Amino acid sequence: MTAVATRPEAPTPPAPSRRRRGRQEWSAYLLFVPAMIPILAFSVYPLAQGIALGFTDAQSGLNAVTTFTGIDNYVRLADYSLFWQSFGIGLVWAFSVTLIQFVASLCLAMLLNANLWGQGIARTIALIPWAMPPVIIAIMWRFMLHPTYGAINGGLGALGLPDDTNWLGTAQWALPAVILVGVWAGMPQTTITLLAGLQGIDDQLHEAAQLDGAGRWQRFWNITIPGLRPVIVAITTLDFINNFNSFALVYVLTAGAYGTMLPMLFAYNEAFRYGNFGLASAMGNVIVVVIAVFLFVYLRAQAKARTA
């Protein structure tokens, strides 16, 4: 019988003292300081300043005296019909752009996901608007929608259709025209996100359903849409928030004229055209609250999608 050598157990290191653990925790917190400084300076401080101004009568001008007025600005906003009218326009704009953008992007993503010739070139072309700043996109479309020498009216004239429409200069066409531009500008991000979701769906599910006799429409509703549900919830909610918060694109296109006055444009004009910084800040605070509600809905929907 041979003796089996047993390996001695390593001694358990003594637990660090409470004081030492405290120093280690503070050392870890200090690592966040370099990242927190720009966040506090460029995000938290302006936000806090904007919230505070909403409770004052701040006006433009170096010698203007600022007085705390409590909720007076919010009482004024309750009866400010033009502001709530801009809110309605903002909701119509955000809902229309998000819905049309999603449907068009889903069609384009499914086309790009198919094994067709020239797929790489098509993906590159689809990404072009993503690389362009909103101001450049707006300037380009101003030329294309020009009533006299724009490419849109030129194309309509070549087809024998009316070619004298003033797209951005009339209340009838300005909002549909800026919605069209908004859809075009936001499609790349939505398309790429949906394309990534499509590529995450197992092809064997489609093949098995096809062997069972399921048609394309049935596979789309029973496999593709359920597989994309988390992506759809995320992209439509974030697109809606982003579109409701739009400024530069519509400002360059119409400056809010002819029924395109979005809430952000309205608050901008109140501050920098009329000098009512306090009232404009109150408008901004209301917009932030509305966006926070949408974010809450988004987080609840994401939580449900994860547990489904």
Side-chain angles (χ1 to χ4, degrees):
M1 183 174 182
T2 58
V4 178
T6 57
R7 185 177 181 180
E9 294 183 358
T12 304
S17 64
R18 186 175 180 180
R19 188 174 181 181
R20 186 177 178 184
R21 287 201 306 270
R23 284 201 303 268
Q24 289 176 342
E25 290 178 356
W26 277 109
S27 300
Y29 288 136
L30 287 176
L31 297 176
F32 289 100
V33 172
M36 291 301 295
I37 290 175
I39 293 175
L40 291 173
F42 300 113
S43 296
V44 178
Y45 175 73
L47 179 62
Q49 185 79 359
I51 293 174
L53 283 177
F55 296 93
T56 68
D57 62 349
Q59 304 287 321
S60 63
L62 295 176
N63 297 323
V65 178
T66 299
T67 306
F68 178 75
T69 57
I71 62 171
D72 286 1
N73 288 328
Y74 299 94
V75 174
R76 285 181 62 188
L77 277 184
D79 294 328
Y80 205 158
S81 59
L82 291 178
F83 175 67
W84 297 112
Q85 185 179 344
S86 75
F87 235 84
I89 295 171
L91 289 174
V92 171
W93 147 270
F95 181 78
S96 302
V97 173
T98 303
L99 178 62
I100 300 171
Q101 190 171 287
F102 169 72
V103 174
S105 298
L106 181 59
C107 295
L108 183 58
M110 293 184 70
L111 189 63
L112 293 176
N113 195 43
N115 293 322
L116 301 176
W117 180 86
Q119 194 180 57
I121 298 174
R123 289 183 182 181
T124 304
I125 294 174
L127 284 174
I128 288 177
W130 205 354
M132 300 172 68
V135 173
I136 301 300
I137 291 175
I139 293 173
M140 183 186 74
W141 275 94
R142 276 180 66 98
F143 281 108
M144 293 180 66
L145 293 169
H146 194 277
T148 305
Y149 51 81
I152 301 297
N153 277 349
L156 292 175
L159 296 173
L161 299 172
D163 59 354
D164 57 349
T165 304
N166 190 357
W167 297 101
L168 298 175
T170 60
Q172 180 184 6
W173 291 110
L175 186 58
V178 295
I179 287 173
L180 170 69
V181 179
V183 170
W184 187 86
M187 271 187 65
Q189 183 177 355
T190 308
T191 301
I192 293 302
T193 306
L194 290 171
L195 180 60
L198 286 172
Q199 292 179 345
I201 299 175
D202 193 348
D203 290 336
Q204 292 182 352
L205 294 175
H206 285 279
E207 293 170 1
Q210 192 171 7
L211 289 175
D212 290 340
R216 289 187 176 182
W217 193 246
Q218 289 175 311
R219 297 201 301 274
F220 175 76
W221 278 112
N222 298 318
I223 297 175
T224 304
I225 293 298
L228 285 177
R229 185 177 299 157
V231 178
I232 292 173
V233 171
I235 197 64
T236 53
T237 310
L238 295 178
D239 278 349
F240 187 89
I241 294 171
N242 187 45
N243 291 325
F244 186 78
N245 214 16
S246 292
F247 176 81
L249 190 70
V250 181
Y251 181 77
V252 177
L253 282 171
T254 62
Y258 307 110
T260 61
M261 183 64 76
L262 304 183
M264 292 299 292
L265 288 173
F266 198 94
Y268 172 85
N269 286 338
E270 196 68 37
F272 297 101
R273 176 174 290 184
Y274 307 116
N276 299 322
F277 283 94
L279 185 60
S281 297
M283 293 175 182
N285 293 340
V286 172
I287 294 170
V288 168
V289 170
V290 172
I291 292 174
V293 171
F294 287 130
L295 277 175
F296 176 75
V297 173
Y298 161 68
L299 293 175
R300 289 292 301 271
Q302 280 289 77
K304 286 185 178 179
R306 281 196 296 269
T307 56

